[in-house]
Amino acid sequence: MDLVSESKMNSEGGEGRPVPPTSLPLQGGPTQRKKLSAPRISLSLDQSEDDLGETPDDLDINVDDLDTPDEGDYLDYTDHEMDWEDPNVANRSGTSEPIPTYSAEEERQDSKLWRTVVIGEQEHRINMKIIEPYMRVISHGGYYGNGVNAIIVFAACFLPDSDRDEYHEIMENLFLYVISTLELMVAEDYMIVYLNGATPHRRMPGLGWLKKCYQMIDRRLRKNLKSFIILHPSWFIRTVLAITKPFISAKFSSKIKYVNSLNELQELIPMDCIQIPECIIRLDKELKEAAENSKMNSFLYGPEPTAAGRTDRPDEAGASSS
């Protein structure tokens, strides 16, 4: 008996609706799939709320007996996949401004704007951008002696003008840069060559700045400093050193040497690796020419007579006349 006839025979009451079958016959050849026993389900619409929560007792399904679909039964969705690489998809969803990215080069440039240094066991930050035009104030001039003693060149002509609005901020950061660079350059004994010439008065470092530099220099750097050479000394720098003499040790004062020309400096230290600014070279040439002209005038016209010589001449003249 098939399903249709069985459903017709069991149709009764319940507004003429057929009663669902309670079991499915296992018929057919070996290629047919196993049919499961269906529980009795009431299709009446007038059930109470209590009946909705009840579960038939004969709803006992063995998971091992379930028939899983074959591979061929799966639907093929490969032709309907969305192309995520399609740029038009983003355009259809609406246009938006791209988020600016922070490149590695920009990150490196930003890290160069600040440098963290440790001076006297205290950490400081240097604004490298604000002192960038004045970083040539200190440079390495090679070595002397046995090849391990460094020559540090300090060019005052590269200092900022004192009439700048941010002058104090520049000098504060430049001070930290000079001290930290000095500690990096110096390993053993060293000397400092201070290029004082061709520096206008407005660029001369103040007394307080020089005093602070001396006080912040590490004890090792003070001890290893063998000579402090000042090229083209002026009356101003001589006066500053005379004023600061009470604040510095006598041993440091004995290391100061004055040199009037590049030729004299070349006799003291090797000049191969020292970069002399053009303004210093021009000044040295002008001073040399002025000194030669002075010697020539003395040779042609003789030395100027002194006051004592002028008073003696009349007496000599009178003696000769008598």
Side-chain angles (χ1 to χ4, degrees):
M1 182 181 296
D2 56 3
L3 296 176
V4 178
S5 59
E6 184 177 357
S7 60
K8 290 181 180 180
M9 295 177 62
N10 294 331
S11 60
E12 57 181 22
E15 298 180 357
R17 288 191 296 271
V19 178
T22 58
S23 63
L24 296 176
L26 298 178
Q27 298 177 354
T31 58
Q32 292 187 355
R33 297 173 183 172
K34 183 185 297 185
K35 303 300 188 297
L36 299 178
S37 175
R40 182 179 181 83
I41 301 176
S42 177
L43 300 180
S44 177
L45 298 178
D46 56 353
Q47 289 181 321
S48 61
E49 295 180 358
D50 297 338
D51 296 337
L52 294 176
E54 295 179 356
T55 303
D57 296 337
D58 55 351
L59 187 57
D60 186 9
I61 302 176
N62 189 359
V63 180
D64 296 333
D65 296 336
L66 292 177
D67 185 24
T68 57
D70 299 332
E71 294 181 358
D73 296 336
Y74 288 105
L75 296 178
D76 186 10
Y77 295 98
T78 56
D79 296 336
H80 307 283
E81 291 180 352
M82 180 181 293
D83 188 5
W84 297 103
E85 303 297 333
D86 187 5
N88 297 325
V89 176
N91 296 333
R92 290 194 299 268
S93 60
T95 59
S96 60
E97 297 182 358
I99 300 176
T101 58
Y102 194 54
S103 63
E105 180 64 24
E106 292 175 344
E107 186 175 358
R108 286 192 295 268
Q109 292 295 332
D110 185 66
S111 62
K112 293 180 180 179
L113 299 180
W114 292 91
R115 176 187 295 180
T116 302
V117 297
V118 178
I119 302 176
E121 299 182 357
Q122 186 176 358
E123 188 175 283
H124 302 271
R125 295 194 69 193
I126 304 176
N127 187 349
M128 301 300 294
K129 186 173 182 60
I130 198 174
I131 67 171
E132 184 177 1
Y134 316 104
M135 293 176 61
R136 291 182 296 172
V137 71
I138 186 171
S139 60
H140 200 292
Y143 299 90
Y144 71 99
N146 55 2
V148 296
N149 302 328
I151 301 175
I152 308 300
V153 181
F154 187 94
C157 59
F158 293 132
L159 289 171
D161 294 340
S162 58
D163 56 356
R164 296 181 62 91
D165 296 335
E166 65 277 15
Y167 176 76
H168 295 288
E169 183 180 0
I170 294 175
M171 293 298 290
E172 180 69 21
N173 286 271
L174 194 60
F175 159 75
L176 297 174
Y177 173 75
V178 170
I179 299 299
S180 60
T181 304
L182 190 61
E183 292 182 351
L184 293 176
M185 289 182 176
V186 174
E188 301 292 339
D189 296 342
Y190 70 103
M191 69 167 54
I192 295 179
V193 178
Y194 185 89
L195 306 181
N196 180 74
T199 304
H201 181 70
R202 66 180 183 274
R203 292 187 182 180
M204 287 290 183
L207 179 61
W209 193 83
L210 293 174
K211 179 182 177 182
K212 186 177 180 181
C213 284
Y214 177 78
Q215 293 175 345
M216 290 291 291
I217 290 178
D218 186 74
R219 182 178 179 276
R220 176 184 66 87
L221 296 177
R222 295 185 192 178
K223 182 180 179 181
N224 293 344
L225 178 63
K226 299 305 177 182
S227 181
F228 190 88
I229 302 176
I230 300 177
L231 177 65
H232 301 140
S234 60
W235 65 268
F236 177 79
I237 194 66
R238 291 176 183 268
T239 304
V240 168
L241 291 176
I243 295 175
T244 57
K245 194 172 183 179
F247 306 103
I248 60 180
S249 63
K251 186 179 294 185
F252 180 81
S253 300
S254 63
K255 300 177 182 179
I256 299 176
K257 298 179 181 180
Y258 297 104
V259 176
N260 296 317
S261 66
L262 290 174
N263 290 334
E264 293 182 19
L265 182 63
Q266 191 172 3
E267 295 176 359
L268 299 176
I269 59 174
M271 301 284 292
D272 300 336
C273 299
I274 298 180
Q275 297 180 358
I276 304 296
E278 290 294 331
C279 58
I280 300 292
I281 297 176
R282 289 195 301 267
L283 175 64
D284 187 78
K285 184 178 180 180
E286 293 173 0
L287 294 176
K288 186 177 180 180
E289 292 176 354
E292 292 177 353
N293 293 333
S294 178
K295 291 180 180 180
M296 182 63 66
N297 293 334
S298 299
F299 176 77
L300 294 177
Y301 304 105
E304 293 183 1
T306 60
R310 285 194 297 269
T311 55
D312 292 341
R313 286 177 182 177
D315 296 335
E316 294 175 357
S320 61
S321 61
S322 60

